[in-house]
Amino acid sequence: MEEIIKEVVIDEQEEYTINMGPQHPSTHGVLRLVVSLKGEIVKNIEPHIGYIHRGIEKMCESITYPQIIHLTDRMDYLSAAINNEAVCLAVEKALEVEIPDRIKIIRTIISELTRIQSHQLFWASYGMDMGGQTCFFYGLRDREKVLDIFEETTGGRMIVSYNCPGGLMYDIHPNFQKRVKEFIKYFRGVLWEYDAILSGNVIFRERTIGIGRLKLEDAISYGITGPSGRASGFSCDIRKQEPYSAYDRVKFNEVLYTEGDTYHRYLARIEEMRESMNIIDQLIDNIPEGPYFVKMKPVIKLPEGEYFQRVETARGELDVFIKSDGNKNPYRVKFRSPNFVNLGVLNHISKDFKIADLIAIAGSLDFVIPDIDR
Amino acid sequence: MNSIIQYFKEIIQGVGSLLKGMRVTNRYFFSPGKIVTQKYPNNRKDLVMFERFKGEVVMPHNESNEHKCTGCGICEINCPNGTIEVISKTIITEDGKKKRVIDKHIYRLGMCTFCALCVKTCPSNALAFSQEFEHAVFNRALLIKTLNKPGSQLMKGVE
Amino acid sequence: MLLNTISNALSTLSEPWWKIFYDFSSLTQAIDEGLRSSLSPFWAVTIEMLIIGVVFLLFYALIGLFLVIAERKVCAFIQNRLGPNRIGPYGLFQTIADLVKLLFKELIPIKNADGFLFNLAPYIVIIVNFMVLAALPYGKGLHAIDFNIGIFYVIAVSSMSVIGVLLAGWSSNSKYSLIGAMRSGAQIVSYELSIGLAIITVVVLAGSMQLSEIVEAQRTGWFIFKGHVPAFLAFIIYIIAGTAETNRGPFDMAEAESELTAGYHTEYSGIKFAFFYLAEYINMFIVAAVAATLFLGGWMPFHVGNWEGFNRIMDFIPPFFWFFGKTFFVIYLIMLFKWTFPRLRIDQLLTLEWKYLLPINLVNVLIMAFLVLMGWHF
């Protein structure tokens, strides 16, 4: 007994713990990491989550399907429109509604714009995590233009609530196509600055290349999806694997790297912005005329059964599982949120790196805390 | 020898990449035309929001203080948060019929999540979003609003 | 009485008042003579010291406040923003308002902190700043104390500010503070070497450590041009090491906002925090001023060989403004570094120093000594 106590005491002298968060500048929200340190070397990380738990899954059980949409906005608030789409697709699949091309294409464009703005914010905040605060403002400056497009069409900037079961809440704004084209042109013109300030910078490369390497088999066994998984070579893009909406009719590359380090997780997101712009390029001129929603029954009741839908959000794979007992409320809703799963690998890949690297690694996994806690 | 060449190559490449970044920031420093800041409270007068902007839910009234709300309560049913409460009353019209009209259409701004379900599902288009976005008040009770103006009536022809 | 002597001294000046800006020595001499004629030597010296002290106190506050607003404006323009624009014209009085706010803020006592050391730390940082400021030549005849080992004194004293940082981190009883302070210690100890060697390169060229003589030696051309490539390399190394020594980005490991919240001054509040904050900016000013003095000719105007007309025009700008112009140019460079580059990691910081700056610096000193020996400089 005495020996055990002695050991603990020695441990405490060698390793000490610090609390990163819930009010730490680089946890991007209320994530709390209890970090055991030896000097500056990270020995163990224990994420404590739940500071912004709102019980979205439980709340979904007591509201109707159209009402669920506005809660999904508030999970991963940076890919709000994609979350909306996931639930809508699941409900439409259950009701076997045929969705016209117009809706599919508009949904795809909005999703890709969402992906771009999310990665812009990633770039901005990642620059800030690394100490280059100017990146933050350049990123937000460009993101503002996407948000303006959203605001004009959907009425919301981040929380768009744009999709609804059976279509869209509103038709696209007459200016939509013009503005999107303007934005693509503008953004192609400033994307080189992102490389000049951060990607090419020797300090940034030194700090990220080879740091927090995630092997392919680990990525698969931990279930790391999205750009973080693809940087390790895990081909997990739902847009390619199980195309939904209009992804089956566009050509784009799945950004894949094999290195799996922090730098390539970062680079995957930058490249994805380019791919997203290519997708929008292919679709923006081909929006067919037609209605923007399919007439649904005033009260949507799903037939009894279990329904499942996968979508690719900006951070990885979002799965929606709905179990219906035939009522207007779902019996059970489960979201498989990418951030929650990605958080699990943090301890594995940032062991034996320094505190500064922990910030770099955590930043490169691109957490959105409300999506972890739901 | 190779390692020495590598050493100097690294230095030159590194300094080059740093200068590249500094060129961007330096250019922005000397181009004040690219400033994107809006001086918000000063530009309040000519600040135009997008027409679909979801500021707060309002009930448009026409000049003779008439609205379109029939008091059906669909908005109340569709609201996911219990933001809306429709209190209706029964009146006897001139031709002796009993009719249900709204007494109060209560909107709790503090609970609203701006999902737009009420505006979209209203069968008589009685609700709309306004462009007002300065919602801050000192008293929470001020966030509970009555949308129909006092003395207002149902517009003719809306059932 | 004191005012009388000063006004008498001023009235004895033979030249028009604006000539003062070209040469302050006549003014200072007149004050000195005036005081000595009416007072015993002891009191005259005491009063002179008092005047200098008050002037430096004012200068410290002014330059600190100005640099804070300048930094905020510079970073705002770099980031496509307007920066502070509410208080005063173009927000110029923002820092004064901030200072007033910080003065009124509560000084939060830290549980289990070492009270004495906790309070001592900002004091040390500030005192070190003052000591360095006194030894800098601001203009012709505007030089509080001209040591014959001036530049040695400057680097010796300025490196002491790390003690304040270490004390702050140690006494705060906070792990974040401690990590920040330890980083700062490692950083400053290693970068002292580079600063010292870069300065030695100039000392070799100037043949003197006295700041006034170093400036005087640049009458025919600034050292950065005179000393060819080695002087230019020394300038770059000095700027890098100087940025590191002031704990500014990209070397702000001691503060490292995104890693350690605020590093060594996490636990400080109110005016004690303001001291650290001001000291950081004064440090930047000192580094820039030393760079201007050593490499860019101090208060010497820009002269080109034998272009008489051009040189005459350059002479027309008072030396005082030359000095501050050069200093602010260097400060702008340092600010541009901070607002462009991401932060280094602590081991990379040391790698940069020991594997890149130091070897290059040593060879650089050697080349410079060779150049001077052969008389190959201008």
Side-chain angles (χ1 to χ4, degrees):
Chain A
M1 188 63 199
E2 256 187 340
E3 270 180 14
I4 295 169
I5 291 171
K6 216 174 177 184
E7 260 179 27
V8 168
V9 170
I10 289 169
D11 262 8
E12 272 183 358
Q13 276 176 347
E14 285 184 338
E15 283 181 19
Y16 61 102
T17 54
I18 58 170
N19 261 314
M20 255 185 198
Q23 284 99 9
H24 190 275
S26 57
T27 51
H28 304 289
V30 282
L31 177 64
R32 177 174 164 220
L33 302 172
V34 179
V35 185
S36 301
L37 294 170
K38 201 170 190 174
E40 275 210 36
I41 312 286
V42 174
K43 284 292 167 197
N44 190 34
I45 303 164
E46 215 176 298
H48 287 222
I49 61 170
Y51 284 86
I52 191 165
H53 174 68
R54 293 148 296 175
I56 284 181
E57 286 170 10
K58 192 72 189 167
M59 276 157 83
C60 290
E61 290 169 17
S62 57
I63 53 179
T64 64
Y65 293 102
Q67 290 175 347
I68 290 176
I69 306 297
H70 90 288
L71 287 178
T72 59
D73 276 324
R74 287 159 175 81
M75 295 194 320
D76 182 352
Y77 50 77
L78 290 177
S79 23
I82 310 179
N83 295 351
N84 295 168
E85 201 180 344
V87 177
C88 294
L89 289 170
V91 172
E92 284 153 13
K93 203 194 257 177
L95 294 174
E96 288 163 1
V97 183
E98 191 56 42
I99 299 296
D101 279 359
R102 182 180 172 83
I103 297 170
K104 282 184 177 174
I105 286 174
I106 293 172
R107 276 180 179 175
T108 311
I109 294 172
I110 292 279
S111 294
E112 289 311 307
L113 282 175
T114 309
R115 199 180 310 281
I116 289 176
Q117 62 93 9
S118 168
H119 289 337
Q120 278 169 336
L121 191 75
F122 160 77
W123 184 79
S125 59
Y126 198 50
M128 193 138 112
D129 285 349
M130 303 301 268
Q133 297 193 0
T134 301
C135 308
F136 190 71
F137 290 95
Y138 289 174
L140 286 191
R141 174 196 70 193
D142 301 336
R143 180 169 176 258
E144 201 70 4
K145 299 195 189 308
V146 189
L147 296 187
D148 277 349
I149 296 173
F150 283 168
E151 193 180 344
E152 194 173 37
T153 289
T154 71
R157 291 171 71 77
M158 287 210 310
I159 311 296
V160 288
S161 298
Y162 188 48
N163 296 305
C164 61
L168 307 163
M169 291 291 270
Y170 312 99
D171 202 358
I172 51 171
H173 196 271
N175 287 342
F176 180 74
Q177 276 154 302
K178 196 184 85 199
R179 269 178 175 269
V180 170
K181 277 182 211 160
E182 270 171 13
F183 164 73
I184 299 281
K185 199 171 161 236
Y186 164 81
F187 192 52
R188 284 224 166 95
V190 294
L191 204 55
W192 71 272
E193 284 175 4
Y194 287 35
D195 292 336
I197 293 176
L198 217 53
S199 326
N201 190 302
V202 64
I203 301 172
F204 178 77
R205 290 172 68 97
E206 284 290 313
R207 274 199 62 179
T208 49
I209 291 178
I211 300 298
R213 188 156 287 186
L214 176 65
K215 287 194 215 103
L216 173 59
E217 51 268 35
D218 287 341
I220 294 171
S221 61
Y222 277 92
I224 307 301
T225 50
S228 312
R230 291 196 281 280
S232 302
F234 178 22
S235 169
C236 55
D237 198 332
I238 309 297
R239 294 175 293 171
K240 283 272 187 202
Q241 316 277 335
E242 280 179 30
Y244 55 95
S245 289
Y247 286 112
D248 48 354
R249 66 189 74 183
V250 289
K251 281 194 187 119
F252 66 101
N253 297 324
E254 188 178 358
V255 181
L256 275 179
Y257 294 104
T258 48
E259 284 85 349
D261 56 0
T262 308
Y263 182 70
H264 286 88
R265 280 196 285 275
Y266 160 87
L267 213 60
R269 293 190 164 84
I270 301 285
E271 287 304 315
E272 271 202 3
M273 286 201 270
R274 295 207 168 92
E275 291 302 326
S276 293
M277 285 195 286
N278 286 341
I279 295 174
I280 295 171
D281 267 351
Q282 294 169 39
L283 294 176
I284 190 70
D285 283 323
N286 304 323
I287 304 177
E289 292 298 315
Y292 63 91
F293 66 94
V294 180
K295 195 94 176 122
M296 305 282 271
K297 281 180 198 146
V299 178
I300 297 174
K301 285 182 181 169
L302 259 56
E304 210 175 314
E306 294 173 357
Y307 307 100
F308 184 64
Q309 177 66 40
R310 308 164 75 188
V311 292
E312 178 77 19
T313 71
R315 276 163 199 75
E317 176 182 339
L318 173 76
D319 297 348
V320 180
F321 169 81
I322 298 175
K323 184 175 166 66
S324 169
D325 54 0
N327 274 331
K328 59 175 183 170
N329 306 333
Y331 176 75
R332 172 83 172 95
V333 175
K334 161 79 184 148
F335 297 107
R336 183 260 189 212
S337 64
N339 287 299
F340 179 75
V341 183
N342 289 1
L343 176 66
V345 85
L346 184 62
N347 187 23
H348 176 69
I349 56 175
S350 47
K351 245 180 214 171
D352 294 331
F353 287 107
K354 293 197 166 54
I355 306 178
D357 296 328
L358 169 63
I359 305 295
I361 294 166
S364 75
L365 290 170
D366 195 12
F367 298 130
V368 167
I369 313 302
D371 193 34
I372 296 175
D373 293 347
R374 291 197 297 285
Chain B
M1 193 63 207
N2 258 343
S3 63
I4 293 175
I5 294 172
Q6 190 62 31
Y7 177 83
F8 284 106
K9 215 171 140 191
E10 260 173 37
I11 293 177
I12 291 167
Q13 278 173 353
V15 172
S17 76
L18 296 180
L19 288 178
K20 217 170 162 188
M22 277 168 75
R23 217 180 69 208
V24 174
T25 44
N26 194 44
R27 202 189 67 218
Y28 278 117
F29 179 73
F30 287 108
S31 51
K34 302 217 170 183
I35 286 173
V36 290
T37 312
Q38 293 179 6
K39 290 187 171 181
Y40 158 57
N42 300 5
N43 71 354
R44 226 184 231 155
K45 281 207 181 81
D46 42 58
L47 186 70
V48 183
M49 304 304 290
F50 292 110
E51 53 182 319
R52 290 182 188 173
F53 177 71
K54 295 177 199 163
E56 62 176 306
V57 176
V58 290
M59 190 182 285
H61 288 60
N62 67 3
E63 311 84 55
S64 45
N65 205 11
E66 289 173 335
H67 57 76
K68 291 186 196 161
C69 181
T70 55
C72 63
I74 286 179
C75 49
E76 191 179 342
I77 296 166
N78 270 300
C79 181
N81 322 302
T83 305
I84 293 172
E85 191 180 341
V86 182
I87 300 171
S88 52
K89 61 182 177 188
T90 318
I91 54 162
I92 297 162
T93 49
E94 287 151 11
D95 39 321
K97 280 181 190 165
K98 277 187 180 174
K99 199 182 170 191
R100 210 171 68 143
V101 294
I102 53 165
D103 183 20
K104 271 180 182 170
H105 189 290
I106 292 172
Y107 170 60
R108 297 186 183 88
L109 180 56
M111 292 163 79
C112 184
T113 50
F114 307 100
C115 63
L117 285 175
C118 52
V119 176
K120 197 168 151 55
T121 51
C122 181
S124 53
N125 286 333
L127 295 176
F129 275 113
S130 78
Q131 257 86 42
E132 178 64 40
F133 58 91
E134 290 163 329
H135 296 314
V137 284
F138 283 102
N139 186 354
R140 199 184 292 179
L142 296 174
L143 289 174
I144 301 172
K145 300 183 178 186
T146 309
L147 293 188
N148 54 331
K149 288 180 188 164
S152 61
Q153 277 188 334
L154 184 63
M155 207 177 279
K156 293 264 152 48
V158 180
E159 284 304 321
Chain C
M1 188 207 67
L2 181 67
L3 284 176
N4 263 345
T5 25
I6 292 172
S7 63
N8 280 344
L10 282 173
S11 62
T12 53
L13 288 171
S14 51
E15 295 147 330
W17 64 268
W18 48 266
K19 284 271 185 191
I20 288 171
F21 282 108
Y22 292 94
D23 193 350
F24 285 90
S25 48
S26 58
L27 173 75
T28 47
Q29 249 167 29
I31 292 174
D32 185 44
E33 275 162 20
L35 281 172
R36 274 173 201 279
S37 65
S38 57
L39 289 166
S40 69
F42 171 76
W43 282 110
V45 171
T46 312
I47 288 174
E48 274 172 20
M49 281 178 171
L50 268 178
I51 294 173
I52 292 170
V54 170
V55 166
F56 269 117
L57 216 58
L58 281 177
F59 179 71
Y60 188 96
L62 271 181
I63 209 80
L65 291 180
F66 174 74
L67 281 179
V68 173
I69 188 83
E71 158 117 65
R72 291 179 67 177
K73 277 287 182 191
V74 165
C75 85
F77 282 128
I78 285 177
Q79 296 164 350
N80 296 349
R81 294 185 289 127
L82 279 171
N85 56 22
R86 293 287 120 178
I87 302 167
Y90 304 104
L92 283 179
F93 301 142
Q94 179 69 48
T95 41
I96 296 172
D98 287 349
L99 185 75
V100 171
K101 184 203 83 173
L102 284 171
L103 276 171
F104 281 115
K105 273 189 95 166
E106 186 190 357
L107 294 170
I108 300 163
I110 310 297
K111 207 175 183 182
N112 295 335
D114 188 331
F116 177 67
L117 295 182
F118 188 74
N119 293 327
L120 187 67
Y123 172 77
I124 287 180
V125 173
I126 290 276
I127 282 293
V128 166
N129 274 339
F130 269 113
M131 283 163 77
V132 180
L133 276 183
L136 296 174
Y138 295 98
K140 207 173 182 183
L142 202 65
H143 198 163
I145 184 159
D146 190 14
F147 288 121
N148 55 354
I149 50 158
I151 191 63
F152 178 68
Y153 168 82
V154 167
I155 51 169
V157 172
S158 68
S159 61
M160 279 189 345
S161 67
V162 69
I163 295 173
V165 173
L166 280 176
L167 283 184
W170 174 254
S171 62
S172 293
N173 188 29
S174 155
K175 287 162 187 168
Y176 282 123
S177 298
L178 191 60
I179 297 173
M182 289 301 137
R183 284 178 174 192
S184 172
Q187 181 180 342
I188 292 184
V189 164
S190 30
Y191 276 81
E192 273 307 311
L193 275 172
S194 278
I195 286 212
L197 283 171
I199 285 173
I200 282 177
T201 321
V202 175
V203 171
V204 167
L205 188 57
S208 168
M209 276 191 170
Q210 197 165 359
L211 282 167
S212 59
E213 274 188 27
I214 290 177
V215 174
E216 199 57 41
Q218 302 181 64
R219 181 172 291 280
T220 48
W222 300 352
F223 278 157
I224 192 166
F225 304 123
K226 250 185 168 178
H228 305 298
V229 181
F232 184 69
L233 272 180
F235 176 68
I236 292 189
I237 289 170
Y238 178 81
I239 292 281
I240 294 173
T243 316
E245 221 199 28
T246 50
N247 276 334
R248 279 179 62 81
F251 305 101
D252 57 345
M253 251 113 324
E255 283 177 46
E257 201 220 335
S258 57
E259 294 156 27
L260 306 176
T261 56
Y264 62 90
H265 58 61
T266 308
E267 304 292 343
Y268 282 85
S269 59
I271 194 67
K272 286 186 212 162
F273 164 73
F275 279 154
F276 277 117
Y277 197 62
L278 270 185
E280 187 195 322
Y281 284 93
I282 301 292
N283 264 331
M284 180 169 67
F285 176 79
I286 289 167
V287 165
V290 172
T293 309
L294 294 183
F295 297 96
L296 305 177
W299 44 263
M300 280 291 170
F302 183 65
H303 282 180
V304 180
N306 37 15
W307 297 6
E308 283 302 322
F310 179 77
N311 291 351
R312 192 86 44 79
I313 295 169
M314 289 289 122
D315 281 339
F316 191 69
I317 303 170
F320 187 67
F321 290 116
W322 272 109
F323 175 79
F324 280 98
K326 289 167 190 175
T327 307
F328 285 128
F329 168 70
V330 179
I331 286 176
Y332 172 69
L333 272 187
I334 294 177
M335 284 179 180
L336 199 60
F337 291 158
K338 169 158 184 172
W339 298 109
T340 310
F341 303 141
R343 186 183 303 116
L344 280 90
R345 206 170 55 212
I346 182 73
D347 57 323
Q348 288 166 354
L349 179 91
L350 300 179
T351 308
L352 174 70
E353 162 64 23
W354 295 100
K355 276 163 92 173
Y356 293 92
L357 294 188
L358 188 68
I360 294 174
N361 224 333
L362 286 170
V363 175
N364 203 30
V365 175
L366 202 68
I367 297 173
M368 181 55 100
F370 187 68
L371 279 183
V372 173
L373 200 65
M374 304 301 283
W376 283 350
H377 60 90
F378 291 118

